[in-house]
Amino acid sequence: MAILGSIIKGAIDLRDSIVSESSPIEEQQKILKKLLETARDTAFGKYYGFSKILEPEDFQTQFSEKVPYFDYHQMKADWWDRTIEGLEDITWPGKPSYFALSSGTTGKTSKRIPVTDEMIEAIRTTGIKQVGALANFDLPTDFFEKEIMMLGSSTDLNERDEFLEGEISGISASNIPFWFRGYYKPGEEIAKIDDWDKRVATIAKRAKEWDIGALSGIPSWMELMMKEVIKYHDAETIHDVWPNLQVFTSGGVAFQPYEKSFRQLCGKEVTVIDTYLASEGFIAFQQRPETTSMKLVTDNGIYFEFVPFKPEYIEEDGSLSQDAPALTLAEVEEDTDYVLIISTVSGAWRYLIGDTIAFTDVEKAEIKITGRTKFFLNVVGSQLSVNKMETALREMEEQFDIKIPEFTLAAVKIDGEFHHHWYLGTEATVPATKLAEALDSTLQEANKNYKVARGKSLKGVKVTTVPPNVFYEWSGANKKKGGQVKMERVMGEEKFADWEAFVKEELE
């Protein structure tokens, strides 16, 4: 009998039974009050009058009226640059210990987002909550004795002035609790290897030394790692190498586009649990098996607001119009796309994280990620969100029995007329013209705005198919492989020209 596993599972079951369910709405009110009280004497808190905001009972409304929205560039220029220069008490008391480097999607210029000790503790606490939620899943006792492969960015953080910096997955992994280190793979030495290809090659070489029960990371990079492990050991599936693999905690992007290709690498059923860890904080995780939605972390260092995702509220650069209305958790509705706004213990205030979400269960505060504010194609009134694009591609996968884990597109002019030019990452041999017809038809049936646009300014759809690996090489050429790097789903004209030149060179 797996004695240690029984003890751990028993502790999780006990914790789950005694943790009371409180109201997410009340939790959010408490979080905002605590944030405002803690930061009232910072430069930001004094400038926006946090003490006065706290005076009335409707301090949530006062907060939304007195403090403007900030995207990264506004927050950095107006406030965080002073933190970077070493000044204290700017948007949060003291100084942050870390800066998370994030470009979100591939790009050569990284954002530097402050990560305070309070945020490190909040991420760690939420991680423990997620482990506790495993009690809701039907996992055998011996699972809790297996090791966990966490494939993130390098934990070898860079020193810059008085701060340490790296991607949030590397920062988090470098702060794992001491009691967890025995379960954590690939281990500290391999995790410090900055070169992603070298790190994966080392993992593949040593894979059979470990008894992996769970994987954790971004699906695209996890798939590449699994393929390397399978190839190195001349195996059929990943379960030939790690027979006890039972769980994959997916993060960073939606898992659905990768589900078909991921499961083909497995020899057994794997439970997939979605998580939402961003550079700005641990935002949500899947709490129960009956749904693929994730529960917002409403009681741990982050206050959420929600702006209806409508074209009139989104500027061309993806930022928000200051007159866009913000809703609290008490005001949202299900099945409506919202731009996610956060205020955090790292000193981000009414911060546009760049993601759009929709509630699947308001009472439980459960959400799904529906896209990015910058990945919203409305050049000729088509109003295409990433969620609608993904849905259309999943239908095409079923229709043609193919896999399309990656894609990008742009609105381009062909012979003086606007077209949507899609690049699909697939090994399928279906003719591109046939894929274009099916994609166009599916989108017209599902999206009335798109159908109207197709009858007017949007004259057609063009599809180009390329191997999925081209997308990963593009990521490597523009930034680096692995970690938090994600593919742009919608490109502007200049970036799309660079992409097409890169594809041409890769395929020659």
Side-chain angles (χ1 to χ4, degrees):
M1 182 178 179
I3 297 175
L4 179 59
S6 296
I7 294 171
I8 295 172
K9 189 174 191 299
I12 290 174
D13 287 339
L14 178 63
R15 178 192 176 278
D16 188 64
S17 66
I18 63 176
V19 172
S20 60
E21 286 289 331
S22 54
S23 162
I25 292 172
E26 293 176 2
E27 289 172 347
Q28 280 287 275
Q29 292 170 340
K30 291 176 182 178
I31 286 293
L32 178 58
K33 188 174 184 180
K34 187 174 181 180
L35 289 172
L36 294 172
E37 288 174 343
T38 304
R40 72 167 85 199
D41 292 327
T42 63
F44 191 96
K46 290 176 180 177
Y47 186 85
Y48 287 106
F50 281 7
S51 293
K52 287 188 176 181
I53 288 174
L54 281 162
E55 289 176 1
E57 288 188 11
D58 66 338
F59 59 87
Q60 286 177 287
T61 303
Q62 291 296 308
F63 177 65
S64 65
E65 290 178 352
K66 303 296 184 186
V67 181
Y69 299 122
F70 288 90
D71 63 14
Y72 170 76
H73 300 290
Q74 293 164 326
M75 199 78 206
K76 179 178 180 294
D78 294 352
W79 299 98
W80 285 344
D81 274 344
R82 283 182 269 174
T83 302
I84 292 170
E85 290 167 4
L87 297 179
E88 295 184 348
D89 303 332
I90 302 304
T91 63
W92 192 255
K95 300 179 186 179
S97 298
Y98 305 89
F99 277 90
L101 301 181
S102 170
S103 58
T105 50
T106 53
K108 294 182 179 178
T109 303
S110 288
K111 299 175 183 177
R112 297 183 72 203
I113 297 165
V115 181
T116 61
D117 292 341
E118 290 91 338
M119 179 57 76
I120 291 293
E121 181 58 30
I123 291 172
R124 184 186 293 121
T125 301
T126 299
I128 293 171
K129 286 176 181 284
Q130 184 191 7
V131 172
L134 291 175
N136 300 325
F137 294 80
D138 185 21
L139 297 170
T141 298
D142 64 357
F143 167 77
F144 297 93
E145 289 192 332
K146 306 306 178 186
E147 295 162 322
I148 301 175
M149 171 66 67
M150 297 172 63
L151 189 66
S153 52
S154 172
T155 59
D156 188 18
L157 306 177
N158 300 318
E159 290 187 24
R160 184 167 174 179
D161 300 321
E162 59 188 295
F163 309 107
L164 291 174
E165 62 181 28
E167 290 188 8
I168 192 64
S169 57
I171 293 172
S172 300
S174 68
N175 282 278
I176 60 173
F178 74 90
W179 53 267
F180 183 69
R181 289 175 186 168
Y183 296 92
Y184 164 60
K185 299 302 174 195
E188 295 180 46
E189 183 180 344
I190 297 174
K192 285 184 177 180
I193 300 174
D194 188 54
D195 184 290
W196 193 84
D197 290 319
K198 184 178 179 181
R199 192 175 352 137
V200 168
T202 307
I203 289 171
K205 185 177 181 180
R206 295 188 55 186
K208 285 197 172 181
E209 298 175 20
W210 307 316
D211 188 7
I212 301 299
L215 303 173
S216 178
I218 289 180
S220 55
W221 302 115
M222 188 61 70
E223 277 194 27
L224 289 182
M225 183 275 289
M226 292 164 67
K227 287 177 180 177
E228 286 300 311
V229 171
I230 291 169
K231 180 181 177 182
Y232 183 89
H233 294 281
D234 194 24
E236 292 292 326
T237 73
I238 196 66
H239 281 100
D240 295 326
V241 183
W242 293 325
N244 294 310
L245 174 62
Q246 297 181 65
V247 171
F248 172 43
T249 58
S250 173
V253 296
F255 176 68
Q256 282 72 24
Y258 304 93
E259 182 166 13
K260 198 168 185 178
S261 53
F262 178 90
R263 295 201 183 279
Q264 285 191 345
L265 298 175
C266 301
K268 303 176 184 177
E269 185 65 27
V270 172
T271 298
V272 177
I273 301 174
D274 274 321
T275 62
Y276 187 1
L277 172 63
S279 298
E280 294 83 0
F282 202 153
I283 291 171
F285 62 89
Q286 185 181 341
Q287 191 178 41
R288 55 196 182 99
E290 308 93 88
T291 177
T292 58
S293 299
M294 297 175 286
K295 176 177 169 50
L296 282 175
V297 182
T298 53
D299 63 348
N300 193 18
I302 304 176
Y303 177 70
F304 300 101
E305 294 173 270
F306 312 92
V307 174
F309 185 40
K310 296 182 178 180
E312 58 263 35
Y313 299 147
I314 310 297
E315 307 289 359
E316 284 190 15
D317 62 358
S319 63
L320 274 178
S321 169
Q322 289 296 339
D323 61 3
L327 307 181
T328 66
L329 189 56
E331 299 168 310
V332 295
E333 298 177 350
E334 292 178 8
D335 301 322
T336 300
D337 282 0
Y338 295 103
V339 179
L340 188 61
I341 305 297
I342 62 172
S343 300
T344 77
V345 291
S346 275
W349 295 102
R350 305 204 79 212
Y351 182 88
L352 174 65
I353 197 171
D355 291 327
T356 61
I357 61 97
F359 282 86
T360 56
D361 190 317
V362 172
E363 187 177 349
K364 289 184 171 67
E366 289 181 338
I367 64 162
K368 60 182 178 181
I369 301 171
T370 57
R372 299 278 295 173
T373 55
K374 290 185 178 181
F375 297 168
F376 181 63
L377 195 55
N378 194 34
V379 174
V380 289
S382 55
Q383 294 191 22
L384 272 185
S385 66
V386 169
N387 193 38
K388 291 174 181 174
M389 299 173 197
E390 296 277 16
T391 299
L393 292 178
R394 301 294 74 77
E395 289 185 19
M396 287 181 61
E397 284 186 328
E398 293 299 317
Q399 180 180 346
F400 294 104
D401 192 23
I402 59 176
K403 295 177 292 183
I404 312 173
E406 300 290 350
F407 75 93
T408 192
L409 77 154
V412 299
K413 280 192 174 181
I414 300 175
D415 298 328
E417 302 282 4
F418 271 112
H419 290 67
H420 283 174
H421 188 175
W422 293 70
Y423 274 79
L424 303 182
T426 181
E427 302 289 354
T429 56
V430 181
T433 52
K434 195 171 182 179
L435 292 174
E437 290 173 6
L439 184 57
D440 187 33
S441 176
T442 298
L443 287 171
Q444 287 195 53
E445 288 178 13
N447 184 355
K448 65 179 182 180
N449 292 310
Y450 178 86
K451 187 174 183 178
V452 169
R454 281 291 285 115
K456 295 181 179 179
S457 302
L458 183 61
K459 294 303 178 184
V461 172
K462 179 180 179 180
V463 165
T464 301
T465 60
V466 297
N469 191 57
V470 173
F471 289 82
Y472 310 136
E473 294 302 325
W474 165 261
S475 296
N478 278 268
K479 191 178 179 228
K480 63 179 181 181
K481 295 180 178 179
Q484 302 297 110
V485 179
K486 307 160 199 169
M487 182 67 196
E488 308 101 313
R489 295 311 192 194
V490 176
M491 293 186 180
E493 186 177 353
E494 185 176 342
K495 178 62 75 68
F496 196 69
D498 292 341
W499 160 255
E500 292 204 292
F502 177 83
V503 171
K504 183 178 180 181
E505 186 176 330
E506 281 289 302
L507 298 181
E508 283 180 351

